[in-house]
Amino acid sequence: MLEIKFVRQNLLEVKESLSKRGEIPDLDLFIDCDVNRRQILVEIEDLRHRRNVVSDDIAKMKKENKDADTLVSEMREVSNKIKVMEKDLTGIEEYINQILMRLPNIPHVSVPEGKDSSANPIIKKVGDLPIFNFEPKAHWTIGEDLKILDFERASNIAGARFPLYFGDGAKLERALINFMLDIHTKEHGYKEVLPPFIVNRKTMTNTGQLPKFEKDLFKLEGWDFFLIPTAEVPVTNIHQDETIDEEMLPILYTAYTPCFRSEAGSYGKDTRGLIRQHQFNKVELVRFTKPENSYEELEKLLLDAETILKRLDLPYQVISLCTGDLGFSAAKTYDIEVWMPSQGTYREISSCSNFESFQARRANIRLKRKGKKGTELLHTLNGSGLAVGRTFAAILENYQKEDGSVIIPEALKPYMGGISVIKR
RNA sequence: GGAGAGAUGGCCGAGUAGGCUGAAGGCGCUCGCCUGCUAAGCGAGUGUAGGGUCAAAAGCUCUACCCUGGGUUCAAAUCCCAGUCUCUCCGCCA
């Protein structure tokens, strides 16, 4: 959420930067409402002031056994008036809030301008592409042939876009989770957390998934609960409504969770394989930082995610999302894309974002500086480190042999109970 | 599922026959004094948000906030209703 004062005072800039995202919000009506709101507020506060003062007088008069009937009946009217005006005010405030909650974040100045994903610049490419002297197969073919993936049975159990792993496949998925968590906790200084996978509406609103994107979420019928689409949601909300001392920052959390997404509107896209599922595993990285450091911290976060790919020796590229491709809450986002040989292209495997104070304002996460009066909002960041299902797919494709077997990456062997290859 | 207890400031914790209580006291924190060092001691200060005034900041001032939402009343942390959460006991269950 943007600060209402900021929107009021920088109307033109806000309009301009949001239009770079392809948003054309009706901010003029918004400003009118805000003016109106402040007028009513002043009147109400005047009346309340009067009531407070006179009520004191009444108390004194009663103590002295004087007759206060006139004042009492006058105040009765004042109170009624206040009540009516308060209703008007609530209505306007709800309207303003509704607009404010649906305005996306303002892109950082370093974010390249562009209309859609085709305008995302490549920041760097890392690793050599594997060379095959045969036609590399898709990971779902490899996985099904090895009997470590079974999409048909998964669809009987749940439906399309659900995974079912068997044997060494299930083990590889689990190995990846442990591998990633170990690196982030032991080498990068993150604290591991295991949060709830179901959250309430407020939590989902705080990080920006609601109110605008409810259709992308799975909601529990009969409950105001949602399945998390990413660990970002519960983990960022660990500190909702808290004020954190500056010497505690930065705070680094990593969490493994399954993620649940309705994938509404993606019919026909990535219909096969592990790339786009209703349920998938992810290891997430979250950082709470001081405002002045958050862009340095974003670079660190990106490197932490990259480390996993480097250790697994998977080729990847990093792109910077342009203004038109940026997510709702993010001020800046890097995507890491891993090489998928069967598709001859790079696919997203991590998304690292700085939300600046956008989420912190919604979630009311504050920072207290030593020796300084008052508090301020801190900055939140998060990134995948990494999407586990997609990493699984990338390993199958990049490490496949002509006979259909898959070599285990060196760094993963200790996590695979000594086996170095998955074969039939 | 049944029975009970509770929710107050960064923390602990007073405060219900409604009325100078934004809220005692303590801890913590900040500044100053004192002190070989540390500890202790002394003095002052120390919530958040939103308005108004101001070019802006400071300052001044007003309003709101004692879990949330309603209600009663001239007036609610205090009374009434509904809800949420936490804790204890019983039952059930992985």
Side-chain angles (χ1 to χ4, degrees):
Chain A
M1 188 166 68
L2 303 175
E3 188 185 8
I4 189 163
K5 218 187 273 178
F6 178 83
V7 178
R8 189 192 303 148
Q9 288 167 355
N10 305 278
L11 190 60
L12 284 179
E13 290 91 324
V14 171
K15 274 184 180 173
E16 198 187 320
S17 56
L18 292 188
S19 72
K20 284 180 191 163
R21 278 177 168 270
E23 291 261 338
I24 331 136
D26 187 3
L27 289 183
D28 296 322
L29 181 59
F30 172 80
I31 293 295
D32 287 347
C33 286
D34 182 48
V35 170
N36 193 221
R37 174 191 138 245
R38 271 152 47 223
Q39 280 171 352
I40 296 177
L41 193 59
V42 169
E43 285 181 56
I44 288 181
E45 289 189 347
D46 269 359
L47 288 177
R48 286 207 275 232
H49 177 56
R50 204 154 139 248
R51 183 178 66 184
N52 288 346
V53 171
V54 175
S55 288
D56 272 0
D57 292 345
I58 292 173
K60 277 178 205 144
M61 291 173 79
K62 291 220 162 168
K63 222 175 240 172
E64 296 163 16
N65 279 320
K66 287 192 199 158
D67 175 46
D69 286 357
T70 331
L71 286 178
V72 167
S73 63
E74 193 190 329
M75 282 310 105
R76 189 172 301 152
E77 267 173 54
V78 169
S79 274
N80 286 336
K81 206 167 165 189
I82 291 175
K83 223 169 256 179
V84 171
M85 295 184 75
E86 277 175 342
K87 247 182 204 144
D88 291 347
L89 185 67
T90 322
I92 292 175
E93 279 179 340
E94 268 169 17
Y95 181 76
I96 288 175
N97 204 37
Q98 206 187 331
I99 293 180
L100 219 47
M101 291 300 273
R102 287 164 196 271
L103 284 185
N105 203 353
I106 291 176
H108 187 246
V109 287
S110 67
V111 172
E113 209 174 318
K115 205 168 145 266
D116 54 41
S117 58
S118 64
N120 296 337
I122 296 167
I123 304 297
K124 59 177 156 183
K125 283 180 186 277
V126 179
D128 299 322
L129 302 189
I131 298 163
F132 298 98
N133 51 13
F134 58 95
E135 188 66 28
K137 288 183 266 192
H139 67 271
W140 55 85
T141 307
I142 303 166
E144 283 173 334
D145 287 350
L146 288 171
K147 305 231 182 286
I148 58 173
L149 287 177
D150 191 334
F151 291 101
E152 190 150 344
R153 287 200 172 98
S155 75
N156 293 336
I157 299 168
R161 296 199 189 284
F162 284 91
L164 176 61
Y165 299 79
F166 281 107
D168 286 342
K171 192 179 211 170
L172 177 59
E173 181 85 2
R174 178 159 57 90
L176 282 169
I177 293 167
N178 286 332
F179 172 69
M180 293 177 191
L181 285 173
D182 280 353
I183 289 179
H184 295 315
T185 54
K186 290 177 186 164
E187 299 181 28
H188 298 153
Y190 290 80
K191 172 173 258 183
E192 183 174 346
V193 300
L194 186 59
F197 304 157
I198 293 174
V199 300
N200 59 34
R201 180 171 292 274
K202 179 173 184 290
T203 290
M204 208 57 107
T205 305
N206 284 348
T207 32
Q209 283 74 18
L210 292 178
K212 227 177 159 180
F213 306 104
E214 185 154 349
K215 63 176 188 320
D216 296 332
L217 301 169
F218 283 116
K219 184 172 189 297
L220 300 201
E221 190 173 346
W223 298 76
D224 211 17
F225 285 145
F226 300 84
L227 298 182
I228 57 169
T230 160
E232 159 192 353
V233 176
V235 175
T236 304
N237 274 287
I238 288 173
H239 294 299
Q240 65 180 93
D241 295 314
E242 285 185 29
T243 301
I244 295 166
D245 289 335
E246 71 171 324
E247 57 264 34
M248 301 294 291
L249 297 175
I251 295 174
L252 281 57
Y253 291 129
T254 184
Y256 152 72
T257 69
C259 303
F260 303 91
R261 299 186 182 178
S262 76
E263 293 297 341
S266 66
Y267 308 109
K269 273 190 213 163
D270 300 311
T271 48
R272 304 198 66 182
L274 292 170
I275 299 296
R276 195 173 301 276
Q277 302 271 292
H278 288 311
Q279 176 190 320
F280 61 94
N281 295 310
K282 184 155 61 70
V283 170
E284 187 75 0
L285 305 170
V286 174
R287 295 175 99 105
F288 298 83
T289 78
K290 292 193 223 178
E292 64 270 25
N293 302 338
S294 65
Y295 280 93
E296 283 165 52
E297 298 276 338
L298 177 62
E299 299 299 323
K300 290 185 194 165
L301 180 71
L302 176 65
L303 285 175
D304 293 339
E306 281 182 58
T307 299
I308 304 296
L309 287 163
K310 283 181 189 152
R311 297 284 172 86
L312 294 174
D313 209 14
L314 289 167
Y316 65 91
Q317 66 179 18
V318 176
I319 61 173
S320 181
L321 296 194
C322 72
T323 51
D325 203 24
L326 211 53
F328 177 77
S329 304
K332 177 167 186 163
T333 299
Y334 292 115
D335 272 8
I336 304 176
E337 300 182 323
V338 70
W339 177 250
M340 296 297 280
S342 78
Q343 303 181 0
T345 180
Y346 290 93
R347 297 302 308 260
E348 178 188 338
I349 197 166
S350 171
S351 196
C352 300
S353 303
N354 185 357
F355 302 92
E356 299 188 358
S357 60
F358 189 87
Q359 293 179 328
R361 183 169 297 108
R362 289 171 168 240
N364 189 29
I365 311 173
R366 308 190 145 265
L367 145 70
K368 172 87 179 79
R369 298 206 195 248
K370 218 177 154 98
K372 241 190 152 182
K373 240 177 127 175
T375 60
E376 58 194 286
L377 295 166
L378 49 69
H379 282 193
T380 61
L381 299 87
N382 69 58
S384 349
L386 306 164
V388 181
R390 290 186 178 183
T391 308
F392 184 104
I395 288 173
L396 258 51
E397 295 205 3
N398 283 279
Y399 282 86
Q400 62 180 302
K401 306 301 265 186
E402 191 164 13
D403 64 1
S405 63
V406 172
I407 304 293
I408 302 296
E410 206 54 44
L412 223 46
K413 280 183 186 165
Y415 291 87
M416 285 297 285
I419 71 166
S420 55
V421 61
I422 300 177
K423 54 187 174 193
R424 294 191 71 164

